[in-house]
Amino acid sequence: MTKEEANAPRAARFLVSGPPLLFLVVFFVAPSLIMILTSFRFPGEFGGLAPITAPAGADHGEYGLTAEAYQFFFSNILYAEIFLKSFGVASATTLICLVMAYPLAVLIARSEKRFRNLMVLLVVLPFASNFLIRIYAWMIILGPESGLSHFINAILGAFGIAPVTLLFSPFAVLIGMVYVHLPFMVLPLYTNLEKHDPSLLDAAQDLGANGWQRFWRVTWPLSLPGVFSGSALVFIPVLGMFAVPDILGGTGDILIGNLIKDQFLGTRDWPFGSALSIMLTLAVLSVAGLTAWFARSATGRRAA
């Protein structure tokens, strides 16, 4: 084998893995390093960042690096509560999306091929319109004068319960989150369910398994990779979402995404906003790692 032939696989690997690696370095590693450095800086007097070194002639002031932002984060339990609340909303959104998406994905996967592509198109069709317009539409649907509000309050009134306000409430935030992220759960589940071998269900039926047993012992275990992928695609973006709580939740429903946005655009405390972003990133990476571990464990048990 010549030297050129030996170097050919190495060049092919570089051409295949080089662009994605460069993309990660430019758009993930470099911004992350900037955020880490920013989180250890002092806030500027009028927002932004204070200089790292003292300007010429300045004899006092806050310059250099500090862990003040992290000390402030860990000294106030309010931020831990906001993190827990954000995790609760993300968990509830993921669970609701899974319950709603699974039957739909099964229906699409088991439909005739000529209808399957149309149904997939209908799932992704909302992406054709602007995200904010779709969220603002929910302000009309959940508004106090909407038909949905009148219908729900009429039912509550029949049971002697006082009328409720749907808009600017945690309920509205949850509805918006589920609406936005439901396609991200449907598509991985459909992709997984479409690959299942129907003969496995026929074999289970021949062995005497009823409908529920065929689902629980065959379909559900085989669909776990799709469940984990969809859960990660829903849970992680919901954690950092700030537009939906801002529009549908009002000022009283702050999640971690809103808090980070306010630090950069409102109070202009960039070091604390960066520290919150780093903590959120660590939380997201932990969740992604746990999801991957559970997926590998489930797949390994099934293979064994």
Side-chain angles (χ1 to χ4, degrees):
M1 179 182 293
T2 64
K3 186 176 180 180
E4 289 76 11
E5 290 175 341
N7 290 333
R10 188 180 304 172
R13 285 197 299 270
F14 176 78
L15 290 175
V16 171
S17 61
L21 185 61
L22 180 64
F23 182 89
L24 286 175
V25 169
V26 173
F27 294 105
F28 179 74
V29 176
S32 299
L33 293 176
I34 294 173
M35 294 296 286
I36 292 173
L37 178 61
T38 302
S39 68
F40 286 100
R41 299 272 298 274
F42 284 102
E45 187 176 357
F46 302 103
L49 298 172
I52 291 183
T53 58
D59 54 353
H60 65 278
E62 294 179 329
Y63 307 107
L65 301 178
T66 177
E68 187 180 70
Y70 293 97
Q71 293 173 353
F72 186 64
F73 174 81
F74 287 108
S75 65
N76 196 333
I77 196 172
L78 173 66
Y79 302 113
E81 293 176 351
I82 293 176
F83 257 82
L84 288 177
K85 182 180 178 183
S86 302
F87 271 81
V89 171
S91 301
T93 302
T94 304
L95 183 60
I96 295 173
C97 284
L98 177 61
V99 171
M100 295 178 67
Y102 204 100
L104 178 59
V106 171
L107 176 65
I108 297 174
R110 296 181 181 177
S111 299
E112 295 182 20
K113 195 168 184 179
R114 54 176 176 164
F115 297 121
R116 203 176 300 169
N117 293 334
L118 175 61
M119 297 173 79
V120 172
L121 177 64
L122 292 176
V123 170
V124 301
L125 192 60
F127 293 124
S129 60
N130 184 272
F131 167 80
L132 290 178
I133 291 176
R134 287 184 281 134
I135 297 302
Y136 277 116
W138 277 100
M139 293 185 70
I140 301 174
I141 297 173
L142 299 175
E145 300 301 326
S146 67
L148 180 62
S149 292
H150 286 299
F151 176 72
I152 292 178
N153 285 324
I155 294 177
L156 294 178
F159 291 96
I161 302 175
V164 298
T165 302
L166 301 181
L167 190 60
F168 303 134
S169 67
F171 172 77
V173 174
L174 197 57
I175 290 289
M177 292 289 195
V178 170
Y179 167 71
V180 170
H181 295 93
L182 186 59
F184 296 107
M185 182 67 81
V186 174
L187 295 178
L189 282 173
Y190 159 69
T191 304
N192 175 276
L193 291 167
E194 189 188 27
K195 298 175 182 174
H196 290 191
D197 187 354
S199 62
L200 295 175
L201 294 176
D202 295 337
Q205 187 174 14
D206 293 342
L207 293 173
N210 57 32
W212 168 251
Q213 289 172 327
R214 291 198 300 274
F215 167 76
W216 187 245
R217 304 296 293 272
V218 179
T219 303
W220 174 255
L222 291 175
S223 66
L224 283 180
V227 171
F228 288 125
S229 299
S231 299
L233 288 176
V234 172
F235 187 89
I236 293 173
V238 171
L239 269 182
M241 177 68 72
F242 63 86
V244 174
D246 262 357
I247 297 173
L248 299 180
T251 56
D253 203 40
I254 296 178
L255 300 180
I256 186 63
N258 306 86
L259 186 60
I260 293 173
K261 186 207 72 172
D262 289 341
Q263 298 305 313
F264 282 98
L265 302 180
T267 59
R268 292 180 57 78
D269 188 348
W270 290 9
F272 188 56
S274 300
L276 291 173
S277 301
I278 296 301
M279 299 305 295
L280 179 61
T281 302
L282 292 177
V284 168
L285 291 177
S286 301
V287 171
L290 284 174
T291 302
W293 182 78
F294 276 118
R296 282 198 302 270
S297 299
T299 306
R301 284 196 298 270
R302 192 178 69 249

